[in-house]
Amino acid sequence: MISPFFQELLEALNRGLIMSMALILPSAAGGVLVGIMAGCLRAFGDTFFRKICDTYAAIFRGTPLVVQLFILYFGLPNIGIYLTPYAAAVTGFILCSGAYQSEYVRGALLAIKRNQYLGAQALGLTKFQSIFWIIVPQAMRKALPGCGNEVIYLIKYSSLAYIVTFMELTGEGKTLATEYFRFTEVFAVIGLYYLALVSMAIFVLKKIEKTLHIPGFGKG
Amino acid sequence: MTRQNPILRVENITKSFGGEPILKGVNLSLGKGEIKILIGPSGGGKSTFLQCMNCLISPDSGKYWLEEKPVDITSKKVLYHYRQQVGMIFQDFNLFDHLTALDNVTLALRKVKGMDKKAAARRAMTELSQVGLEDKIRLYPAELSGGQKQRVAIARALAMDPKVLLLDEPTSALDPDLTGEVIDVIRNLAKKGMTMVMATHQISLIRTLADEILFMEAGFVVEQGSPKALLVPGTRSQGFCDKLNSLSGEGPE
Ligand SMILES: Nc1ncnc2c1ncn2[C@@H]1O[C@H](COP(=O)(O)OP(=O)(O)OP(=O)(O)O)[C@@H](O)[C@H]1O
Ligand SMILES: [Mg+2]
């Protein structure tokens, strides 16, 4: 009922899908984590840490991800660091995504009105408590749409892992397409796979947004 | 009666912003249960002085005594403890936007005073009932009226058992028809003997609550005395109140 070609295609793509998920999940989580840490330091850290994190963000936002992946995989061996294709890809994704996430986190932290901080200080909360209990929970809600968007980008640029020879969704598809010379069908199906992944991510993000929703918060 | 035991005393507070002196040496000594009211033209330094009193703005110089013990405001630990005992009410309420009315009150009880969840909630309920909001505890700031927000802010400050309450124009951000409910709460506090320093343009509060009026202008206290002594023809304070009267249309009482 279903042609042998499509059967082979789906098998290959499903295999790739699992590999893609293995890339995306830790990269998204790691990116958010790095982004929160770097974002907090960029907003509230002392000069030393702020400079370091600013530089990190500037470099990883300012250079193409392809270049970063190439350096991680083909460049680092020159100084004796050998990463597997998987490790190189995840490292690159976490660092790149973390740089973008830090921008959203930092912006959200700085957007919280100073009166929130003063209200906390006036009650005797320490600086750390004021940031942790008042500023961060509010900033988290403000940063969520941006951070979610970055996760969606990550899902799509995870396809770049194949250039460091990691066989994920796009890589599997491309191999098959070349072999059978049937690019249109193959890439159309790959597109559908990514669409499904992104739709799932949007669904989860909406759920989180709903859980964190506070009446009237963020309007005005 | 208030002379012998000041509960809070600050001396020679100075503060400049960008080289511009805003406070030029302000002193204040507060007896237990005493109410001092700051008045004066806009930009005179009332808000700056109030925020210097609990070091939300660090003064350039100044000395502090709480119950006659000197307070070393350069020590973070001392400062955090001092702020617990000197509550503050802001013009714009400064409620935590992401927390319900109840949690606005319980947060500091739990994180600063280390109370458990239940005890904090019980205490918060008591304070919120005192200001007539027991049926609003689950609402978020955005769901409350200005007057209700300010009453939550007062409950939040009182839950910490402060020895002194600083109020910076607590009714100025409110619609005229909402000032009454907040004024009632403040009058109630006064009746219970709360020690307060308040900046306000509310003429009825100035006349009826003040033990002493401080008229601030250009970073100095230029007039200081009881309403009886100060609110007589010829003083700056009386002139200022006359102007408030004609602006608000309240008319002389
Ligand atoms: N953070 C700041 N940076 C620079 N200047 C400031 C700052 N805060 C206050 N000022 C200036 O200090 C002066 C006194 O301000 P302050 O708010 O204390 O006056 P106020 O007596 O409370 O006036 P109002 O009746 O309008 O509330 C003003 O000229 C103001 O511009
Ligand atoms: Mg003011």
Side-chain angles (χ1 to χ4, degrees):
Chain A
M1 46 174 195
I2 165 169
S3 80
F5 165 70
F6 268 102
Q7 199 147 8
E8 199 183 336
L9 175 64
L10 290 187
E11 257 169 43
L13 291 189
N14 287 344
R15 203 166 49 233
L17 177 67
I18 295 187
M19 287 304 163
S20 282
M21 301 275 267
L23 280 176
I24 292 166
L25 291 175
S27 300
V32 167
L33 219 70
V34 169
I36 289 176
M37 288 192 302
C40 285
L41 286 172
R42 290 179 69 196
F44 300 125
D46 61 27
T47 325
F48 177 71
F49 285 109
R50 206 173 57 227
K51 284 244 164 78
I52 289 186
C53 293
D54 280 348
T55 312
Y56 153 68
I59 291 176
F60 281 85
R61 288 189 336 128
T63 57
L65 178 56
V66 186
V67 172
Q68 295 163 24
L69 291 174
F70 263 85
I71 290 176
L72 283 169
Y73 187 64
F74 298 109
L76 287 187
N78 291 327
I79 55 167
I81 301 173
Y82 295 86
L83 296 179
T84 63
Y86 178 75
V90 171
T91 308
F93 293 160
I94 287 180
L95 289 176
C96 177
S97 166
Y100 281 98
Q101 298 286 20
S102 81
E103 196 67 17
Y104 294 115
V105 171
R106 170 178 163 273
L109 287 169
L110 294 178
I112 305 304
K113 282 203 237 83
R114 190 168 155 69
N115 73 13
Q116 298 291 302
Y117 183 74
L118 289 181
Q121 292 279 290
L123 290 165
L125 273 79
T126 64
K127 178 176 177 184
F128 179 80
Q129 285 176 323
S130 307
I131 292 175
F132 190 80
W133 293 107
I134 306 301
I135 311 277
V136 168
Q138 295 189 21
M140 201 166 73
R141 291 173 167 87
K142 279 202 202 282
L144 193 59
C147 292
N149 227 7
E150 178 53 30
V151 169
I152 287 167
Y153 277 125
L154 168 67
I155 291 174
K156 292 186 287 179
Y157 63 62
S158 72
S159 65
L160 285 177
Y162 85 89
I163 66 159
V164 290
T165 74
F166 185 79
M167 287 303 274
E168 42 63 75
L169 192 47
T170 312
E172 294 278 6
K174 191 162 178 269
T175 311
L176 219 65
T178 321
E179 192 178 320
Y180 289 90
F181 212 72
R182 292 173 74 167
F183 289 93
T184 317
E185 294 108 308
V186 171
F187 280 99
V189 178
I190 292 177
L192 287 178
Y193 270 70
Y194 280 106
L195 193 59
L197 277 176
V198 168
S199 304
M200 254 160 38
I202 290 176
F203 177 78
V204 172
L205 287 166
K206 277 264 171 315
K207 269 255 175 315
I208 297 176
E209 225 165 289
K210 221 166 157 183
T211 315
L212 293 179
H213 174 76
I214 284 169
F217 181 78
K219 304 199 183 92
Chain B
M1 87 199 161
T2 57
R3 289 278 167 268
Q4 59 267 47
N5 276 333
I7 199 162
L8 176 65
R9 186 153 67 92
V10 298
E11 235 170 52
N12 194 32
I13 306 276
T14 65
K15 180 72 190 175
S16 303
F17 283 118
E20 182 83 19
I22 300 299
L23 295 178
K24 301 168 185 167
V26 183
N27 305 319
L28 190 128
S29 176
L30 261 184
K32 194 167 163 49
E34 206 178 8
I35 298 177
K36 303 218 176 191
I37 291 191
L38 304 175
I39 60 172
S42 182
K46 303 179 295 291
S47 298
T48 307
F49 178 57
L50 282 171
Q51 295 202 33
C52 279
M53 281 189 71
N54 64 356
C55 299
L56 287 186
I57 297 176
S58 354
D60 297 336
S61 74
K63 288 197 170 139
Y64 295 72
W65 291 265
L66 188 66
E67 296 181 314
E68 315 219 61
K69 285 191 269 302
V71 180
D72 174 16
I73 58 164
T74 57
S75 151
K76 286 240 152 68
K77 210 173 141 223
V78 171
L79 182 58
Y80 293 142
H81 188 65
Y82 169 73
R83 285 199 186 125
Q84 291 176 45
Q85 304 174 69
V86 181
M88 177 121 197
I89 301 300
F90 301 86
Q91 186 172 344
D92 299 317
F93 328 124
N94 295 17
L95 288 185
F96 306 132
D97 291 334
H98 66 302
L99 297 177
T100 60
L102 184 70
D103 289 338
N104 259 279
V105 184
T106 58
L107 184 94
L109 291 175
R110 290 167 55 202
K111 304 304 170 196
V112 178
K113 294 219 156 176
M115 288 168 80
D116 67 53
K117 224 175 161 162
K118 257 199 190 140
R122 222 176 304 125
R123 178 64 205 266
M125 277 305 293
T126 313
E127 293 300 337
L128 285 164
S129 318
Q130 290 280 322
V131 296
L133 290 176
E134 59 273 35
D135 56 337
K136 304 278 187 235
I137 59 165
R138 300 273 164 233
L139 297 185
Y140 287 89
E143 301 172 302
L144 298 169
S145 74
Q148 290 167 343
K149 280 187 223 181
Q150 194 59 296
R151 286 188 280 154
V152 173
I154 292 173
R156 180 174 76 173
L158 292 180
M160 299 300 284
D161 288 318
K163 297 185 168 125
V164 175
L165 199 57
L166 311 173
L167 304 96
D168 191 2
E169 303 200 29
T171 58
S172 295
L174 302 176
D175 290 338
D177 53 326
L178 295 178
T179 56
E181 58 191 70
V182 173
I183 289 177
D184 287 346
V185 168
I186 293 172
R187 278 194 200 288
N188 244 323
L189 285 181
K191 216 178 293 166
K192 286 186 193 152
M194 177 54 85
T195 311
M196 296 190 266
V197 184
M198 170 160 55
T200 182
H201 290 166
Q202 205 74 43
I203 208 95
S204 56
L205 285 178
I206 302 172
R207 275 188 212 283
T208 56
L209 286 190
D211 293 309
E212 189 171 65
I213 293 173
L214 288 82
F215 186 92
M216 278 189 81
E217 187 173 51
F220 286 114
V221 175
V222 294
E223 278 181 5
Q224 181 166 7
S226 68
K228 248 198 205 118
L230 272 195
L231 298 182
V232 295
T235 64
R236 305 288 307 274
S237 305
Q238 179 60 42
F240 185 76
C241 288
D242 285 343
K243 220 174 334 166
L244 289 181
N245 270 333
S246 62
L247 283 177
S248 67
E250 261 182 69
E253 281 158 84

